[in-house]
Amino acid sequence: MKQIQTSFNMISVIALLALTVGCATTSSTQNKESMLVASGFKVITPKTPAQQQKLQQLPPGHVAMINRKGRTYYIFPDAAHNQAYVGGPHEYQAYLQLRAANNIANENLETAQMYQDAEMQWGAWGGWGMGWGPMGMGVGVGRF
């Protein structure tokens, strides 16, 4: 029974990992966009062909710094939706703080998942854990 449960757990982990990898880029971009909006960035849509061309020239997936008329702007292009997220230095600092907090939360989640994996019942595979050898001492032929 334990072997069936362990096999099911492993198949579930593999399926979840495949699903996560498949959605990673979309989720990452959407997460960045929501952090930008939460930090105070404004969503703008280019109205002229020149503005659209400038939007296409910005590096995708990255916040670019632009100086215009003595002011600093931070722009995150979303060419797929024909829009950009624009903020000033205050919004950019808020974004960096939010991003740092999000990274800490992700690291905590990864650590929790690592410990959860470590708690798997490896003894069900035979040869590890309690019940290996006579009297569970790790010597001799394993018993199942």
Side-chain angles (χ1 to χ4, degrees), residues 52-70:
Q52 289 177 347
Q53 183 180 12
K54 286 181 183 180
L55 176 65
Q56 297 293 330
Q57 291 174 346
L58 291 171
H62 299 286
V63 177
M65 182 180 78
I66 295 178
N67 289 314
R68 183 159 190 237
K69 296 182 182 178

Side-chain angles (χ1 to χ4, degrees), residues 25-105:
T25 55
T26 304
S27 171
S28 174
T29 302
Q30 289 174 346
N31 189 27
K32 192 176 283 190
E33 291 170 355
S34 30
M35 283 193 294
L36 289 165
V37 170
S39 300
F41 277 68
K42 304 292 182 215
V43 179
I44 62 164
T45 304
K47 295 176 178 48
T48 66
Q51 290 174 339
Q52 289 177 347
Q53 183 180 12
K54 286 181 183 180
L55 176 65
Q56 297 293 330
Q57 291 174 346
L58 291 171
H62 299 286
V63 177
M65 182 180 78
I66 295 178
N67 289 314
R68 183 159 190 237
K69 296 182 182 178
R71 296 189 64 179
T72 302
Y73 296 97
Y74 294 89
I75 301 174
F76 180 81
D78 184 4
H81 296 105
N82 193 35
Q83 60 188 16
Y85 298 84
V86 180
H90 296 292
E91 291 82 11
Y92 185 67
Q93 287 302 317
Y95 166 70
L96 292 178
Q97 290 174 352
L98 189 59
R99 197 170 138 186
N102 193 28
N103 285 342
I104 290 170

